[in-house]
Amino acid sequence: MKKPNFFFIGAPKCGTTAMANWLQEHPRIFMTQRRKEPMFFDNDIFNPDRMSLKQYESLFRKADDDHLVVGEASTSYLRSLEAVQNILEYSPSARFLVAVRNPVEMAPSVHAQLMYTQHETIADFEEAWQAQEDRVQGKRLPSNSRNDPASLMYADVCRLGEQLERLLGQVSRDRVMVVFMDDMKADSRRVYLDILDFLGVPDDGRSDFPSANVRKRVKLPVLGKMLAYALQYKRLLGLQGVKTGAFLKLHAWNEVPMARTEPDEQFRKELIDCFEEDILLLGELTGRDVSGWLR
């Protein structure tokens, strides 16, 4: 078994699922398949399904000498205060990939994802945003989010400049690559080749770059909860990698695309004011002109 030496650590809703899928299909790269986001190293983030070291390392048992890079993708690691240090203790020479986007666009996308997974119960994003102060005090929390209220603190989750600064305080810049979602949309192949170059892996000629994890909602919340409970029981039984046709068909049937809704001018200004300092920090850390995000 090879130990992982590459970690795609975030951020959520920044194109990470699509990029992880692209890398997973490269013949010289091994990415975890049975569990897309192991969430093993973020001990400060609530995870009822946390694995033992033996279970975690079993995810990589099929990695062999043909794989130049062995990795995993857990988007919670970037916002975790402990994950990077834990990773470095486990894999001292690890390399890190980070995907970022405009937090003003990221925050409502994170909210939509939490609505889909039913960890959020306030359907209107502006109302959920205004509820953050109450939630810090333990109020207005969904019953299944009481152990991880931090996931509902959208302002904190989306402060990518602060999170990247913390990462760069622990890891040298030559071992960190930052990808902007804007670039991924504009020229996916160019971004893909840059990532392969960063990892030291040859081009496999990929020309198709499908998107993934697009914004969606559930038709029937009750069915969504039943499927979530079923998945949890599978994990408790050690069957998280087992995929049944009926299970997947029910999941697919219960999903429908979710239309994007833009915040009104006043609320958008509130979001920009909240993230302005962090946006400027991200631009400074990456050498990127992100002033357009403030307009």
Side-chain angles (χ1 to χ4, degrees), residues 107-136 139-145 152-154 258 261 267:
S109 188
V110 170
H111 168 263
Q113 179 68 17
L114 291 178
M115 280 294 300
Y116 169 72
T117 59
Q118 300 184 67
H119 288 87
E120 172 63 273
T121 53
I122 301 177
D124 180 72
F125 172 58
E126 183 172 357
E127 184 182 348
W129 177 269
Q130 304 301 343
Q132 290 178 104
E133 187 173 340
D134 286 340
R135 287 169 160 178
V136 169
K139 303 174 184 177
R140 303 179 68 183
L141 291 171
S143 59
N144 60 350
S145 293
L152 299 169
M153 301 299 112
Y154 299 103
M258 182 177 179
T261 56
F267 182 37

Side-chain angles (χ1 to χ4, degrees), residues 6 27 29 35 49 60 63 65 80 93 108 110 119 144 163 220 228 230 255 268 270:
F6 161 64
I29 298 175
R35 193 156 179 176
D49 301 321
F60 307 95
D65 291 340
S80 167
S93 60
V110 170
H119 288 87
N144 60 350
Q163 296 168 26
L220 301 176
E255 293 179 357
R268 183 175 178 82
E270 181 180 342

Side-chain angles (χ1 to χ4, degrees), residues 243-267:
K243 297 180 179 180
T244 62
F247 191 84
L248 292 176
K249 286 179 180 178
L250 278 173
H251 258 296
W253 179 87
N254 204 36
E255 293 179 357
V256 290
M258 182 177 179
R260 291 177 60 91
T261 56
E262 297 296 334
D264 60 38
E265 185 176 347
Q266 182 177 349
F267 182 37

Side-chain angles (χ1 to χ4, degrees), residues 19-222:
M19 280 187 272
N21 289 344
W22 303 344
L23 296 175
Q24 184 183 79
E25 294 173 1
H26 193 293
R28 307 304 301 275
I29 298 175
F30 182 91
M31 300 285 288
T32 55
Q33 298 176 356
R34 287 194 297 118
R35 193 156 179 176
K36 177 181 143 325
E37 295 197 53
M39 292 180 62
F40 177 72
F41 294 101
D42 52 356
N43 296 329
D44 55 329
I45 295 178
F46 177 73
N47 179 6
D49 301 321
R50 194 172 303 282
M51 296 176 288
S52 67
L53 177 60
K54 182 178 180 180
Q55 289 172 320
Y56 176 72
E57 291 187 333
S58 73
L59 299 177
F60 307 95
R61 66 174 182 268
K62 292 186 178 179
D64 56 35
D65 291 340
D66 288 337
H67 297 112
L68 300 175
V69 173
V70 177
E72 58 128 311
S74 295
T75 58
S76 56
Y77 290 165
L78 186 63
R79 71 179 174 95
S80 167
L81 300 178
E82 299 180 7
V84 172
Q85 184 57 44
N86 291 337
I87 289 171
L88 292 173
E89 291 176 3
Y90 178 79
S91 180
S93 60
R95 283 170 287 181
F96 299 85
L97 180 63
V98 177
V100 299
R101 71 186 291 192
N102 184 348
V104 176
E105 298 174 355
M106 176 185 172
S109 188
V110 170
H111 168 263
Q113 179 68 17
L114 291 178
M115 280 294 300
Y116 169 72
T117 59
Q118 300 184 67
H119 288 87
E120 172 63 273
T121 53
I122 301 177
D124 180 72
F125 172 58
E126 183 172 357
E127 184 182 348
W129 177 269
Q130 304 301 343
Q132 290 178 104
E133 187 173 340
D134 286 340
R135 287 169 160 178
V136 169
Q137 300 172 23
K139 303 174 184 177
R140 303 179 68 183
L141 291 171
S143 59
N144 60 350
S145 293
R146 294 186 184 277
N147 292 311
D148 184 24
S151 65
L152 299 169
M153 301 299 112
Y154 299 103
D156 294 335
V157 170
C158 299
R159 285 198 176 95
L160 303 183
E162 177 184 298
Q163 296 168 26
L164 180 60
E165 183 177 47
R166 181 169 60 243
L167 171 64
L168 293 175
Q170 299 173 279
V171 183
S172 60
R173 285 179 178 269
D174 63 307
R175 290 163 56 193
V176 176
M177 180 176 179
V178 180
V179 173
F180 281 75
M181 189 173 181
D182 292 344
D183 295 341
M184 177 182 164
K185 289 180 176 180
D187 191 344
S188 297
R189 175 151 173 81
R190 180 71 265 162
V191 168
Y192 180 67
L193 291 175
D194 288 344
I195 294 174
L196 296 185
D197 183 61
F198 169 69
L199 295 176
V201 176
D203 178 19
D204 61 345
R206 170 182 278 274
S207 58
D208 181 33
F209 297 92
S211 58
N213 202 20
V214 296
R215 194 178 299 196
K216 54 190 177 292
R217 63 177 178 83
V218 293
K219 294 178 188 176
L220 301 176
V222 173

